[in-house]
Amino acid sequence: MRTYVGRQRAISPEDFAELALGTPVELWLGVEGETDEERAAREDAARDILAESPNLPDDLIRMAAVVIEENRDLFDVIPLTRPARRRPARKGVAA
């Protein structure tokens, strides 16, 4: 099955996220081993994008909610019952 966002084909989940966001995922999450200067530049770029698109965080939350709703079976959580507490036996109690 092929996945497209607009006219672009997403080959991997990372491609899909980048096409959906309009920016590389690494811009928001960073990369392992980045220097302080690289991190500062990445954060500056992210701030610029957020300044130009102040609704981006809300849009992303809505997008995530839709994905979760459409794939509810992947997110089914079954609550586990907590076992009853065992009380230690009382020793040395005379009747």
Side-chain angles (χ1 to χ4, degrees):
M1 177 153 100
R2 294 181 182 166
T3 303
Y4 288 87
V5 176
R7 294 182 182 191
Q8 298 290 320
R9 182 174 176 197
I11 297 172
S12 67
E14 292 80 13
D15 287 345
F16 182 81
E18 183 173 338
L19 290 168
L21 291 171
T23 61
V25 176
E26 294 82 11
L27 175 68
W28 307 103
L29 302 178
V31 293
E32 191 173 328
E34 71 183 355
T35 65
D36 290 341
E37 293 81 18
E38 290 169 330
R39 182 175 47 79
R42 178 179 56 78
E43 290 174 349
D44 284 343
R47 274 191 284 280
D48 290 344
I49 289 170
L50 289 174
E52 293 173 9
S53 305
N55 294 330
L56 183 62
D58 293 334
D59 293 343
L60 293 176
I61 290 169
R62 275 191 285 283
M63 185 188 328
V66 167
V67 168
I68 291 168
E69 185 66 30
E70 290 176 355
N71 297 285
R72 186 176 285 201
D73 56 325
L74 297 176
F75 295 95
D76 279 345
V77 177
I78 301 169
L80 300 175
T81 57
R82 183 174 263 180
R85 259 191 191 177
R86 299 179 79 194
R87 294 185 182 193
R90 298 176 87 185
K91 295 182 182 180
V93 178

